[in-house]
Amino acid sequence: MEPGQALAAPSPAERTIEAEPRLTSARVLLVEDDPGFASLVEQMLRGADMGVKSVGLLAAARAHLREAEVDCVLLDLSLPDARWLEGVEALRDAAPELPLVVLSGLDDETVAVQAVQRGAQDYLVKGHVNGHIVSRAIRYSIERKRTELALAHLAHHDGLTGLPNRALFIDRLECALARTERRPSCVATMFVDLDRFKEVNDALGHEAGDELLCEISRRIQSVLRPSDTVARFGGDEFLVLAEHVGGEPGATVLASRICDVVAQPVEIGEREVLVTASVGVALARSPLPVDDLIRDADDAMYRAKQGGGGYEVYDELKEVLRGTGAPDFAHAGQLRAFKRLETANDLRRALEREELRLYYQPLVELPSGRVTGAEALLRWEHPERGLVGPDDFIPLAEETGLIVPIGQWVLETACRQAARWSATAHPGADPPVVSVNLAPRQLAEPGLTDGVSKALALAGLPAASLCLELTESTVAGRSDGVIEMLKALKAIGVSLSLDDFGTGYSSLAALDEYPVDAVKIDRSFVGRLDDPERRDVFAAVLAVAHALHLVAVAEGVEEPRQLSTVRRLGCDAAQGNLFAPAGPVKAIEPLMQRAVSGR
């Protein structure tokens, strides 16, 4: 099975997360070859309202899982057809969504840790348990697994429409492009933007806008094949992936169907709403950079919108010839390389020409309402393109290595600004903390700690006033060398924060592995706090963070009710447009005065 295909439809476990109530009873599969001990476990659990099915072989356990519903597996590590951790791995592969508790006669901490690392939720030792301990372990394991699956689902799906989100779409697109190497085919990527959607929001309110988005998502799905994917990319933008479309003719037929189905009237309350779609199509017959393909579809969508709606197919030759003085290229691949080279050259000169800018967004301590610092956010003031956001140039900066000198400039500039704020601070106030994002390429640089120390020294800023933020993807699944680098940064005296938590890379258990001081819960959680289940998951993340003595920060707080909810749930701090959007120093200076004055 391809990695991207594994999430093509919600698994039974995912449906269970949303459909089933809290656990009151459980169906347990006991894999134990000692009949006497198996009988003892059955007696232990009889009073806990748990039905137990016992089998003595791993093969019998796998057969039972194919035929019957099971809530949890109790597994002995010493079986006739599997020894030690072989059974854990085999059952994890057979039923990855099923919680598993090891019940072994081996009292070995190393083996216990390895069992948990390979998929077990808990490790119990025979002779040291009773019915209460075993039943509690089973119940807790089932709930932990449900929470873990819920987080995984939320990380890959849009909270409003239930469609795949950007991360899952990109994963599927990468897999589709990789398959073109083994089996020639044409992959179509379509960027769908709703025309006049803002008018609906402004006239009827955001609830009506949300209802419209849900209906449009259902309509787009209705004209796609089961193998196609539609994802919500953000706001009123959707992305469609279709494999084996038969080239441009087949892709344009599908794009036309999408335009037609979107244009049909939508009834919202007692009103009839009309919107149309602009669709950009980009085609690929071989592996290409995913970001480039999506950007090409976006460019085509923009051309379609300029032409009054409908669809447009991206033609790289035409795009280049629209400019002036474009060289004559032999093939489209050469054009793509030329465009990237131009952007890289512009970015390289951006430092020399002082085109880079730092915007800041304040961080607010919730119990007191005090501004405690700000996050530094990089922007590029391009002489022709205007203000360019990080998503449009940071990936290229990482690929070319420019992120290293750019990252050092960000560190030094942010530290100087923090030092200015500290210099004006009230004697009784804590100095504000400036947060700086680290890219994966920076973390791999052996000179990173020296660069951080240099930035602090040049600014005369205490290390405690600097927080370095790392995304989950920067640290998840990486080598011990990365953890050692984080420890070396901690030794300098700076604090570390795990950014965008909940976007799909780390489990709750992994929080304990990273030497961080704070966790910033992704805005996708905050945006759906009205949903009781999403609120429960948010509360679970908070509980884990606080159990590990981490500061929990809510990202993307946009509305007063969101602020009220995260404060009531016990979140320590928050950041978002409700307090202030990211802006240049002058724009946020009034809020930062609250930090330096101690108010």
Side-chain angles (χ1 to χ4, degrees):
M1 179 178 290
E2 297 291 339
Q5 290 178 314
L7 291 168
S11 69
E14 288 176 318
R15 291 192 292 270
T16 299
I17 292 168
E18 299 185 357
E20 288 190 5
R22 293 294 180 185
L23 180 68
T24 56
S25 62
R27 296 158 294 189
V28 179
L29 175 62
L30 173 63
V31 191
E32 169 62 62
D33 64 332
D34 182 346
F37 188 77
S39 177
L40 178 61
V41 172
E42 291 178 12
Q43 293 178 23
M44 286 181 180
L45 298 180
R46 189 168 296 146
D49 195 21
M50 293 188 180
V52 181
K53 168 66 177 178
S54 300
V55 295
L57 296 172
L58 178 63
R62 295 203 290 197
H64 184 78
L65 291 178
R66 289 193 294 268
E67 299 169 358
E69 293 289 333
V70 174
D71 296 311
C72 185
V73 176
L74 276 177
L75 174 69
D76 184 18
L77 293 185
S78 181
L79 298 169
D81 59 342
R83 291 188 60 80
W84 306 119
L85 299 177
E86 293 176 354
V88 174
E89 294 174 342
L91 292 179
R92 179 203 60 197
D93 293 341
E97 77 285 353
L98 194 62
L100 184 151
V101 176
V102 172
L103 183 54
S104 171
L106 183 64
D107 189 357
D108 187 317
E109 189 67 22
T110 300
V111 174
V113 171
Q114 291 176 348
V116 172
Q117 289 174 339
R118 299 190 190 191
Q121 266 63 52
D122 208 343
Y123 187 101
L124 304 178
V125 180
K126 296 177 181 179
H128 297 279
V129 296
N130 55 33
H132 174 70
I133 292 174
V134 176
S135 63
R136 184 177 62 180
I138 291 171
R139 294 181 189 279
Y140 284 11
S141 296
I142 292 173
E143 292 299 334
R144 280 197 299 269
K145 192 66 176 181
R146 284 182 176 177
T147 301
E148 185 176 304
L149 290 172
L151 285 172
H153 181 82
L154 289 175
H156 289 91
H157 291 81
D158 173 53
L160 175 64
T161 63
L163 294 177
N165 62 10
R166 177 191 180 106
L168 180 51
F169 182 89
I170 288 176
D171 179 63
R172 292 184 179 178
L173 180 55
E174 287 175 341
C175 292
L177 293 172
R179 283 192 285 272
T180 61
E181 287 190 308
R182 302 191 301 272
R183 182 182 176 187
S185 65
C186 183
V187 175
T189 301
M190 302 186 189
F191 204 111
V192 182
D193 183 83
L194 301 185
D195 306 320
R196 300 189 303 277
F197 175 78
K198 186 176 185 299
E199 296 175 11
V200 177
N201 261 347
D202 292 345
L204 304 181
H206 290 283
E207 290 186 3
D210 288 350
E211 186 176 343
L212 176 61
L213 289 173
C214 290
E215 175 58 22
I216 294 299
S217 69
R218 287 190 290 267
R219 290 186 177 185
I220 295 176
Q221 284 179 300
S222 71
V223 299
L224 300 181
R225 301 166 299 180
S227 59
D228 298 337
T229 294
V230 55
R232 187 181 178 205
F233 213 54
D236 61 338
E237 297 173 339
F238 299 86
L239 275 171
V240 173
L241 165 63
E243 294 184 67
H244 311 293
V245 292
E248 183 172 330
T252 55
V253 168
L254 180 56
S256 178
R257 288 175 181 170
I258 291 173
C259 291
D260 291 343
V261 75
V262 170
Q264 296 173 12
V266 180
E267 288 189 6
I268 299 179
E270 298 180 353
R271 296 181 179 273
E272 191 175 76
V273 176
L274 291 173
V275 293
T276 55
S278 296
V279 181
V281 181
L283 303 174
R285 298 182 182 275
S286 61
L288 294 173
V290 168
D291 288 343
D292 286 3
L293 196 59
I294 294 174
R295 189 179 301 115
D296 291 348
D298 188 15
D299 288 346
M301 182 277 296
Y302 180 72
R303 297 293 178 190
K305 192 175 286 288
Q306 283 185 319
Y311 64 85
E312 181 86 13
V313 179
Y314 182 85
D315 186 321
E316 196 155 20
L317 283 169
K318 290 180 181 177
E319 289 295 322
V320 170
L321 293 176
R322 282 190 176 103
T324 57
D328 187 17
F329 293 99
H331 52 79
Q334 188 180 358
L335 296 180
R336 190 184 301 277
F338 177 79
K339 288 165 60 180
R340 292 173 64 82
L341 180 63
E342 276 196 322
T343 302
N345 286 338
D346 288 348
L347 187 57
R348 188 174 284 106
R349 291 190 290 266
L351 267 175
E352 303 169 359
R353 298 174 177 176
E354 299 182 346
E355 295 171 359
L356 298 181
R357 305 283 183 267
L358 280 189
Y359 277 30
Y360 296 87
Q361 188 170 45
L363 184 72
V364 177
E365 184 182 72
L366 291 184
S368 65
R370 187 172 66 91
V371 176
T372 59
E375 180 181 359
L377 300 164
L378 182 61
R379 302 290 187 266
W380 179 11
E381 190 75 45
H382 193 281
E384 297 176 357
R385 296 164 58 187
L387 195 65
V388 182
D391 290 344
D392 292 329
F393 68 92
I394 290 297
L396 182 59
E398 287 199 59
E399 182 180 328
T400 59
L402 288 172
I403 194 65
V404 176
I406 289 175
Q408 186 62 29
W409 177 86
V410 172
L411 275 169
E412 293 177 8
T413 305
C415 285
R416 284 196 298 270
Q417 182 57 55
R420 295 188 192 101
W421 284 328
S422 296
T424 60
H426 186 275
D430 293 330
V433 175
V434 66
S435 298
V436 174
N437 294 281
L438 288 184
R441 183 72 175 264
Q442 290 176 271
L443 201 60
E445 284 292 314
L448 176 60
T449 53
D450 291 340
V452 172
S453 298
K454 176 185 175 183
L456 292 169
L458 287 174
L461 184 72
S465 293
L466 174 63
C467 176
L468 300 177
E469 296 193 3
L470 315 99
T471 62
E472 288 184 72
S473 58
T474 303
V475 294
R478 293 185 175 267
S479 65
D480 292 339
V482 171
I483 301 298
E484 291 304 314
M485 175 62 79
L486 298 182
K487 292 179 179 177
L489 291 170
K490 289 274 290 182
I492 295 174
V494 302
S495 58
L496 301 178
S497 176
L498 191 62
D499 197 11
D500 297 336
F501 185 79
T503 53
Y505 296 96
S506 300
S507 66
L508 288 172
L511 280 177
D512 196 28
E513 299 175 9
Y514 309 140
V516 297
D517 306 282
V519 56
K520 300 182 80 170
I521 305 173
D522 188 67
R523 63 181 62 245
S524 60
F525 286 84
V526 176
R528 301 302 299 166
L529 285 175
D530 289 339
D531 186 323
E533 291 188 355
R534 269 63 171 184
R535 192 163 57 246
D536 287 347
V537 174
F538 186 91
V541 177
L542 282 181
V544 172
H546 289 155
L548 296 173
H549 307 292
L550 303 179
V551 174
V553 182
E555 292 185 297
V557 175
E558 309 285 348
E559 302 173 2
R561 60 179 180 175
Q562 294 173 349
L563 174 61
S564 175
T565 302
V566 298
R567 178 179 280 139
R568 176 170 51 81
L569 291 175
C571 206
D572 304 301
Q575 185 177 346
N577 290 344
L578 179 63
F579 308 106
V585 172
K586 289 183 179 179
I588 68 159
E589 203 65 52
L591 268 178
M592 293 309 299
Q593 288 302 319
R594 291 171 55 184
V596 300
S597 67
R599 290 184 288 133

